[in-house]
Amino acid sequence: MSTQITRITARKIFNNRGEETIEVDIRTKSGFGRAAAPAGASKGLAEVAYYPKGGVDAAIKVVEKSIAPKLVGMNANQQEEIDSLLHEIDGSENFRRIGGNTAYAISLSSAKASSDSYGVSLYKYLGGQIHYRLPFPLGNVLSGGKHARGRAPDIQEFLVLPIHAKSFLEAAKGNLEFHKRVGELLERTNKPFTGGRSDEGAWLANIDNYEALELITKACEEVSNQLGLQCRIGLDVAGSTLWNSKTKKYVYRHDKIKVTPEEQLEYIQELIQKYNLAYVEDPFHEDDFENFAILTKQSKGCLICGDDLFVTNTDRLTQGIAKAAANSIIIKPNQIGTLTDAWKAVKKANEALYTPVVSHRSGDTTDTEITHLALAFNCPIIKTGVVEGARIAKINELIRIENDLGKERRMAKIPL
Ligand code: PGA
Ligand code: ZN
C-alpha cells in the first residue's frame, strides 16, 4: 500500500445551478480520489476567493503548472503538509492567486485518494477510532431571500430538524414528509403557487415570513403526529443579504419594511419564542458580533449559528468565542479552502462547546465528502437540504454509512 501521489488532473464540470466548477482527480500508487468544489449564492465577505482571475480555466492552468509538479511524489496522507503547501504556493491571505475552490478540490481529493489507498471509508480515515454518531439532517423546505427570484419571503431558508429520530433513515424520511406536506399546504392555500423550487429543492412561494412559519408549523405538527417524530423549525436569516450598511437598516423587500439592529433583535427574539425555533443562522449581518452575543444570551434552547459571521475561519470564530457571540458554527470547507483549515475551526468550536453544523452550498454537486466530514468531525447536525439531486446524493450517502456502521450506529446528541 502506498499513498504516494503519481498524478493530478483538473477539469471543469458544472454544479446543480449549471455554473462552472473545478474537479480534481488525484491518483496515488494504490488509490484514487476525486473532489469537486461547491459554490455559494449568498457568500460571506470574509470567505476566500473561489478562483484566480480568469475563473475555472485559470485555476486548471494553475493546477497543471504550479501545483501538480510540487504535489506529485508527496504522500496523500500528509494532509497538513499538502494544505500548507497550497497556502505557500498561493502566498495571499485569501487564496486569490490559486483560488479557494482549487485548494478545496485538491485538499479533499487528496484525502479521498489517501483513504482509498488504505481501503477505508473517508469518515473512518479522517475520524480514526472514535464512536461515530450520525448527524441529524437540517433541511430546507422553503426558500426566500437571495435563494429566490421574484417574490418570496425575505428570510433565506426555512428549515426543519427531526430531533428525536432514532436513525438517520427515519430522520431523512421525516424531512421528506415535512417537505411534501409544506408543498401540499401551499397548493391548498396559495392560489398562485406553481410548485416551483429553488436550487436547494425547497419550495418557492409568494408569502411572507409569518405565513411561511405558520404553514411550516402546521406541516410539522401534522406529520410529527403521524410519524411519531418531533420536528423543530430553524431559519437561515442570511442577515448580511438584508443589511444596508449605508442606512444601517435591515431591508425586508417583500414585507416592505426597514428595521434597525435593535428592532431586528426584537423581531428574531419574537420568532424564536413564537415558533419555538431550534436553530437561527445569521440573524444579523456578518460583522455584528455584539447583537449575536445578546441574542445568544437570551435564547436558551435555540442554536444561534454563525455562517457568514465565521466563514469557517478559526480567527473569526476565536473573536466570536471571546465575545460569546453565537453558540454554533456552520462548517463549509470551501469558505476557508482546505480540509486542515476546516478541521481547525471544528476543533476550536468543539473546545468552546459551539455546535458545529457541516453544510452544503446552494450551488453543489453530487459529491458527498461533507457527509463523511460530519461523522469524522463529530458534527451533530448536517445542513444539506431535503430533496434535489445534489442534496439527495448526500442523504443517500449517510444512509449507506448508517448501514455500514450496522450495530454500531448511534444518532448524535443535539445540545437543545
Ligand atoms: P450559499 O448559502 O451556499 O448560497 O452561500 C447557504 C447559506 O447561506 O447557508
Ligand atoms: Zn447561511
Side-chain angles (χ1 to χ4, degrees), residues 136-137 160-166 170-171 174-175 178 219-221 223-233 275-276 278 414 416:
F136 282 84
V160 289
L161 182 67
I163 57 170
H164 288 317
K166 285 177 209 68
E170 188 185 50
N175 277 2
F178 298 135
C220 274
E221 276 169 11
V223 176
S224 292
N225 289 338
Q226 188 187 315
L227 300 182
L229 268 182
Q230 202 187 334
C231 165
R232 296 274 303 269
I233 300 174
Y275 298 102
N276 189 27
I414 308 175
L416 281 174

Side-chain angles (χ1 to χ4, degrees), residues 145 151-156 158 208-210 235 237-239 241-244 249-261 263-268 271 282-284:
R151 296 192 65 71
D154 291 299
I155 290 177
Q156 181 178 281
F158 295 82
D208 66 29
N209 296 332
Y210 285 111
L235 297 176
V237 181
T241 63
L242 304 174
W243 178 243
N244 182 323
K249 294 232 170 117
Y250 290 92
V251 183
Y252 288 78
R253 280 194 190 84
H254 184 280
D255 295 358
K256 298 194 175 62
I257 50 166
K258 294 177 182 176
V259 305
T260 63
E263 289 165 335
Q264 175 79 351
L265 175 64
E266 279 168 30
Y267 178 53
I268 301 295
L271 295 183
D282 285 349
F284 306 103

Side-chain angles (χ1 to χ4, degrees), residues 42 147 156-157 159 200 235-239 279 281-282 305-309 330 332 335 359-361 383:
S42 71
H147 285 182
Q156 181 178 281
E157 293 170 30
L159 304 142
E200 295 185 0
L235 297 176
D236 182 358
V237 181
Y279 176 92
E281 184 178 322
D282 285 349
C305 186
D307 173 15
D308 294 348
L309 180 76
I330 279 280
K332 292 171 173 166
Q335 285 182 323
S359 169
H360 65 171
R361 304 297 309 241
K383 187 182 166 202

Side-chain angles (χ1 to χ4, degrees), residues 44 58 72 80 97 114 116 128 145 181 236 238 254 271 309 313 346:
V72 169
E80 286 196 57
R97 296 205 183 93
S114 185
D116 187 52
R181 188 63 54 93
D236 182 358
H254 184 280
L271 295 183
L309 180 76
N313 180 315
V346 176

Side-chain angles (χ1 to χ4, degrees), residues 320-373:
I321 293 167
K323 292 180 175 162
N327 52 25
S328 173
I329 174 176
I330 279 280
I331 301 295
K332 292 171 173 166
N334 86 317
Q335 285 182 323
I336 191 72
T338 70
L339 190 54
T340 305
D341 289 304
W343 176 77
K344 281 184 186 158
V346 176
K347 190 164 171 278
K348 184 93 203 167
N350 280 326
E351 281 163 11
L353 302 181
Y354 273 47
T355 303
V357 175
V358 78
S359 169
H360 65 171
R361 304 297 309 241
S362 56
D364 214 310
T365 69
T366 49
D367 268 21
T368 60
E369 51 265 11
I370 62 158
T371 64
H372 290 255
L373 300 190

